[in-house]
């Protein structure tokens, strides 16, 4: 062995030791130790050199991504021997549906491996951390990781929350329009039955909140909240029904019903006999 990287560590009648610094792939092969006796005695060992994979890189991401667009992220690492293993994670949860490709490098000894993650952009993925993890026996159980934070733009999601579930005449009510989108939606637009709010003195808009005081039956109708951002717009409706004031009945006094009495009257009838006399004249 003639190489400046190889150093004799110990030489004795029963042991011969060498060390190899800055190990390269070319150092792989069969090593022979000989004892020059008659006959010569030899012992052989095969040295395997692992190729350490390069730090992985994620490509294919453009920011921002619109909701519904297809995303293809590719993670690649070169120089591994044997071929490294690549795994994908989204917020620490492993993603199994991926494509894996292994190619032999120009030196015919190491490999370049790549894996592609293919999915549709969804608003729930906004802010998610996608990571590519490379595992290899040369890394001593310490994987190499590349990460990418997703930025997804999407149209607003709108919801109306009412402060009063049973509004009555004379009461007040506030309707809050919650809107979530990316980019952040512009100030919301309130309308009633397809037109402007009819009574600005009682119907006050403050940011995303519509307050209506002294409710009456003319306030009945459909209130619409609309939010928009550069991606698009969305709206939702709330049907307001103002109820009559609920009157509490006063305690009532129970009046006993009249007792019907049957009165029998006995009437005595007196019969009188009249005697009439007829005079007969005799001639």
């Amino acid at each position: 062995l003639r190489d400046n990287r190889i150093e004799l560590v110990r030489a004795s009648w029963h042991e011969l030791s060498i060390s190899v610094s800055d190990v390269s792939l070319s150092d792989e092969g069969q090593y022979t130790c000989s004892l020059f006796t008659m006959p010569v005695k030899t012992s052989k060992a095969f040295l395997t050199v692992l190729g350490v994979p390069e730090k992985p890189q994620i490509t294919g991401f453009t920011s921002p991504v619109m909701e519904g667009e297809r995303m293809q992220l590719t993670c690649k690492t070169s120089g591994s021997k044997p071929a490294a293993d690549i795994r994908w994670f989204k917020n620490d949860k492993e993603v199994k549906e991926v494509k894996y490709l292994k190619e032999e490098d120009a030196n015919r000894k190491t490999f370049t491996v790549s894996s592609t993650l293919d999915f549709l952009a969804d608003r729930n993925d906004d802010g998610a951390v996608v990571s590519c993890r490379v595992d290899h026996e040369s890394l001593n159980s310490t994987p190499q990781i590349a990460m990418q934070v997703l930025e997804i733009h999407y149209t607003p999601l709108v919801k109306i929350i009412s402060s009063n579930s049973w509004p009555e005449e004379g009461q007040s009510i506030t309707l809050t329009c919650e809107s979530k989108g990316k980019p952040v939606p512009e100030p919301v637009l309130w309308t009633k039955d397809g037109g402007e709010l009819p009574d600005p003195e009682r119907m006050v808009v403050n940011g995303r909140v519509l307050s209506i005081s002294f409710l009456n039956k003319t306030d009945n109708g459909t209130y619409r909240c609309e939010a928009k951002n550069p991606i698009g717009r969305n709206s939702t409706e709330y049907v307001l029904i103002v109820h009559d004031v609920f009157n509490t009945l006063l305690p009532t006094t129970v009046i006993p019903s009249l007792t019907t009495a049957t009165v029998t009257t006995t009437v005595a009838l007196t019969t009188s006999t009249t005697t009439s006399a007829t005079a007969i004249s005799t001639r």
Side-chain angles (χ1 to χ4, degrees), residues 23 26 62 68 86 90 114 131 152 157 169 185-186 237 251 270 275:
V23 175
S26 60
T62 56
I86 296 181
K90 184 188 293 183
S114 62
S131 57
I152 313 296
L157 181 66
E169 289 185 296
E186 300 173 3
E237 296 180 342
T270 303
T275 306

Side-chain angles (χ1 to χ4, degrees), residues 189-207:
L189 173 65
W190 283 99
T191 58
K192 178 179 184 289
D193 296 330
E196 296 182 355
L197 298 177
D199 192 345
E201 293 185 358
R202 292 188 305 109
M203 300 178 177
V204 180
V205 177
N206 184 11

Side-chain angles (χ1 to χ4, degrees), residues 4-19:
N4 293 332
R5 297 178 299 111
I6 300 176
E7 178 183 356
L8 181 63
V9 176
R10 175 178 296 184
S12 67
W13 66 272
H14 68 280
E15 180 181 338
L16 184 64
S17 302
I18 62 172
S19 67

Side-chain angles (χ1 to χ4, degrees), residues 169-188:
E169 289 185 296
Q171 294 181 345
S172 62
I173 190 173
T174 59
L175 302 178
T176 303
C177 180
E178 290 190 350
S179 59
K180 180 182 179 183
K182 195 166 185 178
V184 176
E186 300 173 3
V188 299

Side-chain angles (χ1 to χ4, degrees), residues 166-169 217 241-247:
W166 187 268
E168 297 179 355
E169 289 185 296
K217 291 298 182 66
I241 300 176
V242 179
H243 300 273
D244 295 329
V245 177
F246 181 75
N247 293 322

Side-chain angles (χ1 to χ4, degrees), residues 37 61 181 204:
T37 57
F61 180 73
V204 180

